[in-house]
Amino acid sequence: MKPDTVGRPDGSDAARPPNQVTDHATGHATGLATGLCAVGLLLTAAGERPVGALRPGDRVITRDAGMVTLRALTRRRLHTPLVRIRAGSLGHRRPGRDALLPACQPILLRDWRAHALFGRAQILVAAARLVDGEFVTHEGTGALDLCQLDFGAPHILYLDGLEVASHAAGALVP
């Protein structure tokens, strides 16, 4: 008897590891995409603002440290595997709108999903690990403007209602 598992009709896995990422400016492979989508809405002291509109000195609200000041922002266009998380699919108004993320974007889970999928109260996981084929889907590979935010330390940020890591973390479950 075959166990009931998440997969595709052809038998392949629904969640697959991220593919190679290419920097549009240089054409070179860069490893995994890091950074937040420039058009994503980030919670700041001035309300929700597009990540790409932030400037050094802006204050951003974090889950782990309250208000922190942005020291620097680096923007680059990458060709990367993408994951779409449908509005409301990770809880009430989480995310608040459809969110398009790099497949390796670390997301903080701290609800029943963390317990059911990983046996922990909370965990950072790559967006690709949450793919179910219906509410969280692979969107192929595409070009995306990503912003790397420097606060002097990694933080958990509120992006489109999701709790995401500002940097790829060592504790990330790929």
Side-chain angles (χ1 to χ4, degrees), residues 72-167:
L73 180 143
T74 304
R75 187 174 182 152
R76 59 189 178 152
R77 188 165 186 79
L78 295 178
H79 195 72
T80 181
L82 303 172
V83 170
R84 180 176 307 279
I85 301 177
R86 304 265 183 239
S89 61
L90 294 183
H92 181 64
R93 297 190 326 201
R94 292 187 57 212
R97 62 184 188 145
D98 281 10
L100 189 63
L101 304 169
C104 61
Q105 173 63 52
I107 298 175
L108 178 66
L109 291 182
R110 57 185 186 92
D111 62 3
W112 65 268
R113 290 167 194 83
H115 286 287
L117 298 173
F118 304 101
R120 299 187 188 168
Q122 65 179 17
I123 189 167
L124 277 174
V125 297
R129 291 293 305 269
L130 301 177
V131 169
D132 62 13
E134 185 175 350
F135 300 105
V136 182
T137 58
H138 287 290
E139 293 294 310
T141 301
L144 199 60
D145 287 325
L146 296 176
C147 297
Q148 183 68 50
L149 306 181
D150 178 11
F151 299 103
H155 292 288
I156 301 297
L157 310 174
Y158 297 101
L159 179 74
D160 291 327
L162 295 171
E163 294 173 339
V164 301
S166 62
H167 295 357

